[in-house]
Amino acid sequence: MNEIPNPDYFSIAKCVVYLNQHSLAANLIQQLVKREDSKSLAVAYQIAFDLYENGTQEFLAKVMEALPKEEKDDEANGDAKSEAGENEGLLSDIDTSNVSRTKQSASAEESKVFASVREVLQGTKSIELNLEFLYRNNHADKNILNKIRDSLESRNSIVHSGVTFANAFMNAGTTSDTFFR
């Protein structure tokens, strides 16, 4: 990728997902973040959103593991290691040479970007943005539905069921439940 003047990162990301190469996906995101320009950061975020949409949960978990950790997590792990002094004799004979560690020191800005990328890969950011979009763009006229509902005499009428279904379709995904209250 370094030899190509303008690589198509989105096609590369698709291929990486299809090949199930989580380390390549993590390296691609790391390279883009380390460039520290706004275009590269935007591409890194878009790739993270694409990976979330197209990748499996296992793939996404491995990509998140391969990304550099936050410094707070490293300090917490260091404290936990120092408290485990009584078990050091038992664990000192274990061969840990095959354990891959991708802990790299990152600047404060990079660690914020990697935390945001993790949030995207976990899906919390996508869900939050979708919910915000649906809620903000909900233009259902609740007064009409309330007037129709109040004018009905029987709860067994077909019109009542129709009004209830109309409300469900108009407010789908918006977390708006004021019609039922």
Side-chain angles (χ1 to χ4, degrees):
M1 286 184 287
N2 293 334
E3 300 91 32
I4 303 172
N6 294 320
D8 184 6
Y9 289 111
F10 305 112
S11 297
I12 292 170
K14 275 186 182 178
C15 292
V16 166
V17 170
Y18 291 136
L19 294 173
N20 200 22
Q21 295 290 323
H22 59 86
S23 60
L24 291 176
N27 288 339
L28 181 64
I29 292 172
Q30 286 178 12
Q31 287 176 0
L32 289 169
V33 169
K34 291 197 186 294
R35 287 187 183 174
E36 296 182 351
D37 64 335
S38 61
K39 184 178 179 182
S40 296
L41 288 178
V43 171
Y45 283 126
Q46 185 59 49
I47 287 174
F49 279 110
D50 290 346
L51 291 176
Y52 172 72
E53 290 294 324
N54 298 319
T56 62
Q57 288 181 346
E58 179 183 2
F59 178 80
L60 296 174
K62 288 180 180 178
V63 171
M64 286 186 284
E65 280 180 17
L67 291 175
K69 305 280 189 243
E70 292 183 42
E71 293 176 9
K72 293 177 183 176
D73 292 340
D74 292 343
E75 292 172 4
N77 289 340
D79 292 344
K81 287 179 185 176
S82 65
E83 292 175 2
E86 64 186 44
N87 292 334
E88 284 180 5
L90 298 173
L91 299 176
S92 63
D93 296 333
I94 297 174
D95 182 23
T96 59
S97 61
N98 61 351
V99 177
S100 64
R101 294 182 184 228
T102 59
K103 294 183 180 179
Q104 302 169 352
S105 62
S107 68
E109 185 176 324
E110 284 181 3
S111 63
K112 287 180 186 178
V113 171
F114 285 125
S116 297
V117 168
R118 274 195 189 81
E119 196 173 313
V120 169
L121 291 174
Q122 290 171 348
T124 54
K125 196 63 169 175
S126 294
I127 293 169
E128 178 184 322
L129 291 173
N130 284 334
L131 184 61
E132 179 185 338
F133 173 80
L134 289 171
Y135 188 76
R136 193 172 355 115
N137 293 313
N138 181 15
H139 301 297
D141 192 358
K142 296 173 186 137
N143 292 330
I144 292 173
L145 291 175
N146 286 331
K147 286 180 184 178
I148 293 172
R149 181 190 65 187
D150 293 341
S151 68
L152 298 175
E153 294 180 17
S154 172
R155 288 214 172 255
N156 294 330
S157 76
I158 294 175
V159 177
H160 183 271
S161 297
V163 170
T164 304
F165 282 120
N167 174 65
F169 286 127
M170 289 173 22
N171 294 307
T174 63
T175 67
S176 175
D177 62 351
T178 57
F179 180 74
F180 295 113
R181 294 178 189 230

